[in-house]
Amino acid sequence: MTARPTPRPAGGRIMGDPGPTGRFGSFGGRFVPESLVPACLELEAAFRSAWADPAFRAELAAILHHYGGRPTPVTECARLSAELGVRVLLKREDLAHTGSHKLNNVVGQGLLARRMGKHRLIAETGAGQHGVATATAAALLGMECVVYMGEVDTRRQELNVFRMELLGAEVRAVTSGSRTLKDAVNEALRAWVADVADTHYCLGSVMGPHPYPWMVREFQRVIGEEARGQCRELLGGSDPDVVVACAGGGSNAAGIFAGFADDSDAGLVAVEAAGGAALTAGIPGVLHGMRSALLQDEAGQILEAESISAGLDYPGIGPEHAHLAELGRARYVAAGDGAVLDAFQLLARTEGILPALESAHAVAWVVAAAASGELAPGTTVLINLSGRGDKDVAQVRDLLRGRR
Amino acid sequence: MTGARAPGTLEAALRARRDAGHKLLVPYLTGGMDDGWLLALEALAGAGADAIEVGIPFSDPMIDGPTVQEASLRALGRGTTPDGVLADLSRVDVGVPLVVMTYYNVVYRAGHERLAGLLHASGVTGAIIPDLPLEETGPWAAAADPADVATVLLVAPSTPEDRIGAVCARSRGFVYAVGRMGVTGEQTELAASAREVAARVRAATDLPVCVGIGVSTPEQAATVCQVADGVVVGSALVRRLLEGAGPEGAAEFVGSLRRALDAG
Ligand SMILES: Cc1ncc(COP(=O)(O)O)c(C=O)c1O
């Protein structure tokens, strides 16, 4: 990858405050029914006030440290680097409590909900990671929790349903539409309309109506800020050449990018699932409260994403990513299921780390780009390892058996 | 307040009915939901509808409950498209104003100007786009206003007082007062919020005010019209059509709503 001059919007930071209309360039916005507009406005005001309040930030940081295990380390991958010919570093979000970066966001939103006087959290989930994280935050903060999950996913991820129930949450199977993640978001939004007075919708990624894309990115910014400092220490004061993350809705990518987008020349690469590549195969549209890139047909009907990783099975992507793509500040690429399975095994074999299938997309792109020479030998690459693969072991076993 | 603006076609038609002492009855059905939907549409007009709301189906109808979701899925399963619904509408003249209801992605994908032109050419006088709130209305309204397609905005029970005026000022045709905090769907009882929101909107505008979402029976319609100018009735009708009531059954139900409103 060659370094390119960094475009900067006049007067602002690239990953800054999207303002009262929640715009990232022409993307974002607040496309929700009138019933939800006041709740979105209230949430934005509450987040602005909390985020400017040192006491709120201190409480969040303390929980993420003492309970969540932050800061997560950056691991130098000697054996994988030798195999690929590029220097690979991993930001270890897999070591955070509940096994992924999702905890950063849910603790932030849980504290914010409490600050707003709401005692009940609802959430959507695909694979179950965000549902488990939300159920965890609800247990920690003593709140009620209901998780909406597509009926298809409740069957694919039975164990995570049980995990959520153990954590005291109620899981409601969604039987509308395609019965997967996008329908779980629809159903959570529908439920929020009915219970908005006492319920906070704890959205799981940098998507949805303003202020969610911005707020969730800010709650995930801790990944990028930690990683920036850790890399400087490891690399003698330099930044990595390239920062790579997988993207479904795009929250772990936005979190790590936020540490580098504005005042570093590090290249930024987000890897979508080939079957859900909104920024490779999608076109601009409006869904779930935001204008962004979406998989859709010529009449504007939303198409279903398809991937081995349920966490990336989403036909859209957060609006800030559409903007970063338009600016050319980040690149959006895709990895297919086969390459992802190979990368999953490679990381396990060379480094003793089982990545989440989602995170394995980022590894897969690095493997391919190192092989093709797109990443020149000796390039330093920081991969956001967004989660651990324990949840995926049974699925990977079945897929590998099917391969043989 | 609408000020000096000349009322468009939809507003003029509804005002004329209201000024003549009628309560406004606006039934909803999903375009393309079955082979006979155009016959049902004509039957609604014959049974006393003052305007008809026609849904253009969308894959992800976020503010709709199970009944309209089912009708939307059936319509999409039959290959229904926005252009197809509008082509069908352009072939009928039911004698009352037609208003489409759809989601913003359908509008955005079709193109604001192209869709506004198509609506006008198909004889449609208004559009309800529930996921396009006041702040996001500008680009669509800039295309719809000159095409004489009235953009009907919604006021919800959660809308604060200082916002109601702004929503009403930008609404065209009528103001859609959302009867309850929730999605579309039949309710055994009328929520207290239905009359409350109608009263708050009435106090803020001279435009006709119709209450929809959660109005399911002739009794509920009559009750809410003690305060509102009219009602939108969707799921209760769509359920009957899904169950195979056909144009006759649709007309019978809408006739019962009409009689309840006329009896006051
Ligand atoms: C480990 C992991 N990584 C990534 C994702 C995708 O979400 P996002 O793109 O918001 O980071 C998920 C979602 O379930 C996940 O569990």
Side-chain angles (χ1 to χ4, degrees), chain B residues 63-68 180 182-187 213-216 234-236:
Chain B
I63 196 70
D64 284 305
T67 306
V68 176
R180 59 188 290 270
V183 296
T184 61
E186 286 181 85
Q187 300 296 320
I213 301 194
V215 182
S216 316
S235 297

Side-chain angles (χ1 to χ4, degrees), chain A residues 24 27 279 291-293 317-327 332:
Chain A
F24 305 92
F27 299 103
L279 273 169
R291 176 183 288 133
S292 191
I317 189 166
E320 188 165 33
H321 288 292
H323 180 53
L324 290 172
E326 194 172 64
L327 285 177
Y332 292 80

Side-chain angles (χ1 to χ4, degrees), chain A residues 93-94 99-102 125-131 181 204-207 216 220 223 245-255 271 309-313 317-318 321 355-360 384-389 391-392:
Chain A
E93 292 303 297
D94 60 317
S100 83
H101 69 291
K102 298 284 180 191
T125 198
Q129 288 304 101
H130 174 59
L181 179 56
S205 192
V206 286
M207 44 170 279
V216 176
Q220 295 292 1
I223 305 173
C246 69
S251 66
N252 86 88
V271 188
S309 102
L312 304 185
D313 250 346
I317 189 166
H321 288 292
L357 277 173
E358 291 80 14
S359 323
N384 194 19
L385 203 77
S386 57
R388 66 174 180 233
K391 70 183 173 62
D392 300 317

